[in-house]
Amino acid sequence: GQNIDQPTEMTATEGAIVQINCTYQTSGFNGLFWYQQHAGEAPTFLSYNVLDGLEEKGRFSSFLSRSKGYSYLLLKELQMKDSASYLCAVSRPRSGGSYIPTFGRGTSLIVHP
Amino acid sequence: GAGVSQSPSNKVTEKGKDVELRCDPISGHTALYWYRQSLGQGLEFLIYFQGNSAPDKSGLPSDRFSAERTGGSVSTLTIQRTQQEDSAVYLCASTPREGFGTDTQYFGPGTRLTVL
């Protein structure tokens, strides 16, 4: 079985820092993705973690702890355009031998002035 | 370069009708995924095509759903005898390689299906 949890909604102020958490319980683990999805648009790739630790990419960073089944996405210097849904996805092997990312429900981030 | 394209962008149909949704993946991408996203829900995996291997159909919710991928490129998702609960955004994604869950997925804009 598999379970991926993330908060439904978060709000933050422009210029601030926000951390979006994701916890997972999956049978098998091959890596964890974060995607950004603006309303009415397709998800776009933000980050991928396969090893424990922090991956930094500009204003966005992603952290993974495999032993704790935990990841977070850190957004710094928030901008209004960062208002979007942030999807956590765990890649795991399936019974057919394929690896398919399983997505959480997403966290809707609202950035206000 | 061209990304993943899907058509139609919007589809309104009556309950009981059949619908076909089309996905054109990025040229050269060997793996193709279909997902469904209902309001307030995450992406629900439907089906995965991996090159010449048999597709992984384990996510299809009922036998009313089927999909094909012709010539290793374009894919069509067919929903027969549509029901109101089928209303959702249907997203297609492709990746460069098959069988590698570590590859970034490139998503199309989706088809918003509304069943009246």
Side-chain angles (χ1 to χ4, degrees):
Chain A
Q2 48 90 23
N3 191 34
I4 301 173
D5 288 317
Q6 26 179 158
T8 303
E9 186 175 293
M10 299 181 70
T11 59
T13 304
E14 190 176 15
I17 299 173
V18 70
Q19 177 175 311
I20 302 174
N21 296 325
C22 173
T23 58
Y24 62 90
Q25 294 175 315
T26 60
S27 52
F29 178 85
N30 201 44
L32 188 143
F33 294 89
W34 283 97
Y35 284 83
Q36 179 190 60
Q37 185 178 25
H38 285 101
E41 298 182 11
T44 55
F45 171 81
L46 287 178
S47 67
Y48 174 68
N49 294 69
V50 62
L51 300 176
D52 289 352
L54 187 68
E55 297 275 347
E56 297 186 76
K57 190 184 297 184
R59 294 190 299 115
F60 292 7
S61 302
S62 57
F63 172 83
L64 174 67
S65 169
R66 289 172 297 172
S67 62
K68 296 181 179 178
Y70 168 69
S71 172
Y72 67 73
L73 180 69
L74 192 70
L75 291 77
K76 303 176 184 176
E77 301 170 13
L78 281 173
Q79 302 176 9
M80 298 297 290
K81 67 178 182 180
D82 296 330
S83 293
S85 183
Y86 292 85
L87 309 176
C88 172
V90 173
S91 179
R92 62 184 186 91
R94 294 177 67 92
S95 57
S98 55
Y99 290 80
I100 296 174
T102 301
F103 286 80
R105 294 189 175 190
T107 298
S108 177
L109 174 66
I110 301 170
V111 180
H112 54 82
Chain B
V4 178
S5 62
Q6 293 186 244
S7 60
S9 56
N10 279 285
K11 177 70 177 180
V12 180
T13 190
E14 294 179 347
K15 178 181 174 181
K17 300 283 189 181
D18 297 352
V19 295
E20 284 190 353
L21 312 179
R22 177 187 169 102
C23 171
D24 282 271
I26 292 173
S27 178
H29 280 197
T30 55
L32 187 148
Y33 307 73
W34 281 99
Y35 291 88
R36 177 169 70 176
Q37 187 173 34
S38 302
L39 190 62
Q41 302 294 315
L43 273 66
E44 175 189 4
F45 165 73
L46 297 177
I47 188 169
Y48 166 55
F49 292 93
Q50 42 185 348
N52 296 323
S53 302
D56 182 335
K57 303 179 181 181
S58 59
L60 294 178
S62 77
D63 58 8
R64 296 186 296 105
F65 288 72
S66 63
E68 292 184 337
R69 188 178 186 192
T70 54
S73 180
V74 172
S75 177
T76 303
L77 177 70
T78 301
I79 309 173
Q80 296 178 310
R81 306 181 301 281
T82 52
Q83 304 294 313
Q84 289 183 331
E85 60 262 30
D86 299 335
S87 296
V89 176
Y90 289 81
L91 290 163
C92 172
S94 68
T95 63
R97 302 177 295 176
E98 60 193 63
F100 288 85
T102 58
D103 278 357
T104 300
Q105 291 181 301
Y106 295 84
F107 284 86
T111 294
R112 181 174 297 278
L113 174 66
T114 303
V115 182
L116 302 176

